[in-house]
């Protein structure tokens, strides 16, 4: 078996479907130190909730995790789903997302039960505006959490917030625990990453309000106090010309910033790399950008992972209902050792999409997303 092939030691020939009985998608995937896999998401439809499942390394549901391997967390609203997740050093699991128009955070113990040391019952909602949504979360070394997201529905801004270990807003950050970042349109924060010096990078998009003009990818950086960092592009904000949507962001060991997404008008996967000050890193693709095309007409890039050897893994979906996985060399060229041309697709026999990716210690690639017809989590593992 070669890199990019399905790992047949994982459940049903490399693929696993998990049902919660609703219209559910997986938006986040984590690998624990013991190799077990946590997948989180939800549906967003009326009656939906945060959902999380834990799988053993062989793909079987881990029955030691709450209710037969699956956990449902409800905030008392009508439409709820988790978009981001993170592991704490103590093994607790943090889920963030949409809790019926508010930003919702839940924390689970290692066994899947709600952690009552967080906000009394393991759950808390945060109202940043008429619509508030948390899309990603970072666990800091001191146990505090940083949330990235946005407000809306029109004229909303990118948001970054910091909360204490007990769930209370950390008022030492920004204004009342939160910083609102304005790019002049409908501004969305989808992903966040922490630099070694404690500064936080947030990636997303800005779309002209009440306009049909295409969106533009944007990146912001704030200092540990929550203020915009002028060392990044002069004022802490940067518009990524040539990229329409930024879906994920990673800080490399050399402090360079990787951003993954899509061009505004071209159906290909795209990655950009910036130097720490925000200028394009021309060692990637000659101009700081690289693309990879599956030739399917529509390629969406939703998530990214960085291997220890510097290779870049991109995950998304393509026309025809397949999960798409690409691997690039550190210079942005397709990795010919991965599925012969740097591209692999996963067919669940049902219209499918990939939303998240994580790497195991042995280099294998775990991908999570959704099955459209069966409305289940879709999880697959590839050899790396």
């Amino acid at each position: 078996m070669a890199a990019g092939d399905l790992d047949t030691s994982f459940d049903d020939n490399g693929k696993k479907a998990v049902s919660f009985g609703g219209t559910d998608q997986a938006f986040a995937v984590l690998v624990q130190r013991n190799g077990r896999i946590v997948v989180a998401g939800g549906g967003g439809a009326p009656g939906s909730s945060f959902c999380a499942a834990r799988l053993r390394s062989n793909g079987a549901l881990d029955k030691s995790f709450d209710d037969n391997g699956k956990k449902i967390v409800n905030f008392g609203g009508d439409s709820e789903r988790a978009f981001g997740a993170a592991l704490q050093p103590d093994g607790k699991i943090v889920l963030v997302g949409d809790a019926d128009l508010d930003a919702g955070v839940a924390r689970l113990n290692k066994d899947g039960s709600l952690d009552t040391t967080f906000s009394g019952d393991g759950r808390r909602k945060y109202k940043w505006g008429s619509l508030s949504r948390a899309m990603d979360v970072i666990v800091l070394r001191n146990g505090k959490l940083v949330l990235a997201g946005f407000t809306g529905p029109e004229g909303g801004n990118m948001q970054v917030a910091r909360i204490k270990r007990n769930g209370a807003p950390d008022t030492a950050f920004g204004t009342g625990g939160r910083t609102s970042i304005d790019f002049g349109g409908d501004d969305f924060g989808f992903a966040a990453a922490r630099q070694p010096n404690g500064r936080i990078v947030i990636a997303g998009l800005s779309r002209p309000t009440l306009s049909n003009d295409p969106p533009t990818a944007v990146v912001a950086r704030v200092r540990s106090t929550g203020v915009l960092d002028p060392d990044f592009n002069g004022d802490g904000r940067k518009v990524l010309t040539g990229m329409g949507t930024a879906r994920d962001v990673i800080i490399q060991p050399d402090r360079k910033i990787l951003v993954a997404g899509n061009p505004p008008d071209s159906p290909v996967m795209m990655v950009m790399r910036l130097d720490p000050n925000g200028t394009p890193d021309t060692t990637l693709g000659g101009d700081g950008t690289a693309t990879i095309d599956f030739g399917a007409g529509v390629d969406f890039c939703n998530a990214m992972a960085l291997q220890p050897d510097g290779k870049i893994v991109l995950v998304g979906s393509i026309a025809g209902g397949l999960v798409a996985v690409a691997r690039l060399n550190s210079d942005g060229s397709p990795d010919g050792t991965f599925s012969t041309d740097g591209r692999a697709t996963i067919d669940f026999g049902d219209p499918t999409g990939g939303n998240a990716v994580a790497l195991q210690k042995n280099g294998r690639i775990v991908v999570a997303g959704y099955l459209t017809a069966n409305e289940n989590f879709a999880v697959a593992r590839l050899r790396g």
Side-chain angles (χ1 to χ4, degrees), residues 244-284:
T245 304
R247 288 289 180 180
D248 209 350
V249 60
I250 289 175
I251 308 299
Q252 294 188 165
D254 60 4
R255 296 178 56 228
K256 293 181 179 180
I257 301 165
L258 277 173
V259 184
N262 292 91
D265 54 4
S266 180
V268 298
M269 291 183 170
M270 185 176 196
V271 62
M272 283 190 171
R273 189 160 64 206
L274 306 174
D275 286 321
N277 63 2
T279 60
D281 172 23
T282 56
T283 64
L284 182 80

Side-chain angles (χ1 to χ4, degrees), residues 217-228:
V218 293
V219 176
R221 189 168 74 193
V222 297
R223 294 184 171 179
S224 59
T225 57
V227 299
L228 283 164

